[in-house]
Amino acid sequence: MSNETAVKANKTVRVGLLGLGTVGSGVMKVLLHQQALIKERTGYRIEVPHILVRDPKKKRKVKVFPEQLTTDADRIVDDQDISIVIEVMGGVEPARTILLKALRSGKHVITANKELLAKHGSELMKAAQESGVQLLFEASVAGGIPVIRFLQGYLTANRVYEISGILNGTTNYILTKMEQTGQTFAEALAEAQELGYAEADPTDDVEGYDAAYKLAILTNLAFDVEVPVSDIFREGIKEIRPIDLGWAREFGYVIKLLARSRKTERGIELSVGPCLLPLSHPLARVHDVFNAVTVYSDVVGDVTLVGKGAGEYPTASAVIEDLTALLRQSGQVLRTTCWQTSSHRCLETESSRFFIRFTSAEQESQQLEQQLKRVIAEWGGRVIHQVKKEALGKENFGWIVQNLPRKRLIELLDQASANGLLSQQPLVLPCLDQVATQSRKLASAI
Ligand SMILES: NC(=O)C1=CN([C@@H]2O[C@H](COP(=O)(O)OP(=O)(O)OC[C@H]3O[C@@H](n4cnc5c(N)ncnc54)[C@H](OP(=O)(O)O)[C@@H]3O)[C@@H](O)[C@H]2O)C=CC1
Ligand SMILES: N[C@@H](CC=O)C(=O)O
């Protein structure tokens, strides 16, 4: 049915909503406030008869009728008049079971749940394909940025070689606040939670799991491989201190939690972790809750998409885009070649420069500095930037070391620690000075 015919026929579509937290409330508010616009553009009026929640008595951020709320998922899945289910409840179970049931009973599914997709995407996609319905998930990666649609629907004649991006809003917000306002990690995290950016368990954000789930989804779409999340090299930001952010800037860098997936001759390099980006890097200016994804492909070259990566409205916007795409019947044009398993090797991203921060034990500063520099030189490495700061009789050192692999640096610092020369856990972070040179080389071969 064309939009015009649908408008004339006053068509209504009934949607079941699973979850009424940050994202669910945003979805309801957008459906309410943009009702006329959505109807004008799709021809449909949208009704949400049932919303699944855990606690119907809880105070809500959006006005809903008590009879809309339910704790029984079957009221949605078994309702023949509901043709689309939106899942914004999070977690693996019971979301997985409910969505499989919904797909198998012929309902289209829209989800923002990256953990579920990263862990059970192939199972859900198979159920959708077998039932001839759509599984859409734009909101699962980078909030309001249309990166899923870009990978599924735009790069048909391109081969993607690399994806790198800031995929977690909470950690980008924390790092930005720690550097720009001097807030502590705990203060900045509390603000990110208050603003609705963080996951129900913020460990997922700060330990890099959330970004790893998103990277697994993007890798799947870009390279047609199913990557187990456990194969992704992952580090979080809990060890980053304001001193690291300050020193990085002194050396001409900014620290970001970067997610990277890169096709190489040896396999796919995948990593999520804090790293130093040169201030001239396109992602170095992406702050606060903003996310950015750069996709390197052979025909189009580099494309960077930037936007808000978390929060009520940017995420709701992506959910509603999936919904309106379904209503305009444009879901079918998307490539569905995702979640195919093929052989691949997951490797850690390599780097030729590392930032190290270490603290001497009392009275050991000089010996430590000399010993580390001697061993670094013996192993063929070089300290190219250095700074130090004394505090309470101990010396904090920040160095940029060139030409030594991470493994060697960790070995070196572990040895110093075993010899009683260090007083705290040291930090080792890669510097990403070169942007996708491998991809550029391959791209130029076409
Ligand atoms: N927040 C964000 O910025 C973004 C979130 N996402 C994803 O969207 C999803 C939702 O996130 P968010 O809105 O922040 O989460 P919230 O924790 O704010 O909301 C979750 C909602 O789901 C309901 N719920 C959770 N578990 C159950 C259950 N077992 N049975 C019934 N209801 C349940 C909760 O009910 P009740 O209210 O009664 O407790 C709540 O309404 C997650 O997958 C998240 O990763 C994706 C992009 C951005
Ligand atoms: N917790 C996530 C929410 C969006 O995916 C984030 O901070 O990016």
Side-chain angles (χ1 to χ4, degrees):
M1 182 181 292
S2 73
N3 285 356
E4 210 182 323
T5 329
V7 175
K8 280 193 193 135
N10 205 12
K11 290 279 290 180
T12 297
V13 66
R14 283 161 65 92
V15 172
L17 184 63
L18 309 176
L20 191 61
T22 302
V23 184
S25 303
V27 167
M28 288 305 287
K29 287 183 200 170
V30 177
L31 288 179
L32 191 69
H33 296 299
Q34 308 292 70
Q35 206 178 104
L37 192 66
I38 294 171
K39 185 163 180 207
E40 186 189 314
R41 292 182 176 170
T42 65
Y44 284 86
R45 206 173 82 79
I46 295 155
E47 273 180 12
V48 185
H50 307 301
I51 305 169
L52 182 74
V53 291
R54 237 178 330 220
D55 176 7
K57 297 217 164 64
K58 202 185 212 175
K59 195 168 166 355
R60 301 288 160 187
K61 285 190 268 172
V62 60
K63 196 166 164 15
V64 288
F65 297 106
E67 57 273 23
Q68 278 178 287
L69 300 180
T70 179
T71 53
D72 179 7
D74 286 343
R75 286 199 61 190
I76 292 171
V77 178
D78 294 338
D79 187 332
Q80 302 293 321
D81 293 333
I82 288 182
S83 51
I84 299 171
V85 171
I86 296 176
E87 187 268 312
V88 285
M89 58 197 284
V92 169
E93 289 294 353
R96 173 181 156 271
T97 304
I98 301 172
L99 293 193
L100 283 172
K101 209 171 161 197
L103 290 164
R104 288 175 183 144
S105 62
K107 299 184 195 313
H108 299 293
V109 164
I110 295 166
T111 178
N113 191 335
K114 47 273 161 120
E115 180 179 6
L116 179 62
L117 287 164
K119 292 179 178 168
H120 298 281
S122 53
E123 188 184 23
L124 292 165
M125 190 54 82
K126 191 161 166 272
Q129 283 165 355
E130 282 170 2
S131 299
V133 292
Q134 297 277 337
L135 171 66
L136 301 179
F137 46 94
E138 187 60 70
S140 65
V141 180
I145 302 177
V147 62
I148 301 286
R149 204 57 56 91
F150 180 64
L151 288 173
Q152 280 189 312
Y154 191 73
L155 298 171
T156 319
N158 280 263
R159 264 184 225 95
V160 178
Y161 291 110
E162 176 170 341
I163 298 175
S164 57
I166 296 170
L167 299 181
N168 183 271
T170 301
T171 45
N172 207 34
Y173 184 86
I174 294 172
L175 292 172
T176 305
K177 292 291 159 186
M178 278 170 69
E179 183 178 1
Q180 293 181 355
T181 71
Q183 274 182 330
T184 64
F185 177 91
E187 285 165 348
L189 171 60
E191 260 187 29
Q193 287 178 293
E194 185 60 30
L195 290 162
Y197 302 156
E199 294 302 303
D201 178 357
T203 311
D204 273 10
D205 297 294
V206 299
E207 298 283 8
Y209 289 102
D210 178 79
Y213 298 147
K214 292 166 177 169
L215 188 66
I217 295 170
L218 295 184
T219 302
N220 211 311
L221 293 171
F223 304 134
D224 287 337
V225 292
E226 188 175 1
V227 176
V229 181
S230 54
D231 281 7
I232 300 177
F233 175 86
R234 180 194 48 75
E235 277 180 341
I237 63 158
K238 269 164 81 178
E239 306 309 325
I240 310 284
R241 301 207 211 121
I243 196 171
D244 302 317
L245 294 154
W247 280 349
R249 191 160 284 271
E250 256 183 62
F251 298 147
Y253 294 94
V254 63
I255 300 179
K256 295 286 176 193
L257 184 84
L258 205 74
R260 255 180 130 201
S261 173
R262 194 157 82 108
K263 222 173 193 173
T264 73
E265 279 135 21
R266 299 180 304 131
I268 298 178
E269 281 183 5
L270 289 151
S271 60
V272 168
C275 64
L276 277 74
L277 296 178
L279 292 171
S280 57
H281 192 287
L283 302 184
R285 290 180 294 276
V286 177
H287 297 309
D288 291 302
V289 72
F290 281 82
N291 281 192
V293 191
T294 304
V295 179
Y296 305 90
S297 325
D298 54 0
V299 184
V300 67
D302 312 351
V303 176
T304 300
L305 305 168
V306 187
K308 284 190 177 162
E312 184 178 15
Y313 288 120
T315 316
S317 169
V319 169
I320 302 290
E321 279 312 309
D322 278 347
L323 177 61
T324 53
L326 274 176
L327 298 180
R328 290 196 309 261
Q329 304 282 299
S330 58
Q332 281 94 329
V333 300
L334 302 178
R335 272 165 59 206
T336 53
T337 51
C338 54
W339 280 297
Q340 308 296 316
T341 312
S342 74
S343 63
H344 66 275
R345 281 176 65 215
C346 290
L347 310 158
E348 183 190 329
T349 303
E350 283 176 356
S351 181
S352 59
R353 277 185 190 176
F354 287 89
F355 167 77
I356 61 173
R357 185 245 302 143
F358 53 95
T359 308
S360 67
E362 261 171 77
Q363 317 298 329
E364 304 292 355
S365 155
Q366 239 185 358
Q367 192 197 342
L368 174 68
E369 191 172 357
Q370 282 165 3
Q371 184 180 316
L372 292 187
K373 279 191 177 157
R374 181 175 45 76
V375 180
I376 287 173
E378 278 169 14
W379 285 351
R382 200 155 67 90
V383 179
I384 58 165
H385 293 297
Q386 52 187 310
V387 64
K388 63 181 167 186
K389 189 175 175 197
E390 195 261 324
L392 305 171
K394 292 168 190 167
E395 206 83 61
N396 287 296
F397 294 86
W399 291 356
I400 304 266
V401 183
Q402 187 155 292
N403 292 340
L404 272 193
R406 183 199 295 257
K407 223 171 63 188
R408 278 291 205 185
L409 283 167
I410 291 174
E411 206 179 306
L412 180 73
L413 293 163
D414 280 352
Q415 191 57 52
S417 186
N419 292 342
L421 299 176
L422 297 190
S423 69
Q424 281 175 23
Q425 184 68 22
L427 181 76
V428 179
L429 301 179
C431 305
L432 293 190
D433 293 275
Q434 291 174 335
V435 185
T437 39
Q438 172 81 355
S439 314
R440 292 232 165 91
K441 241 186 279 163
L442 290 165
S444 64
I446 187 178

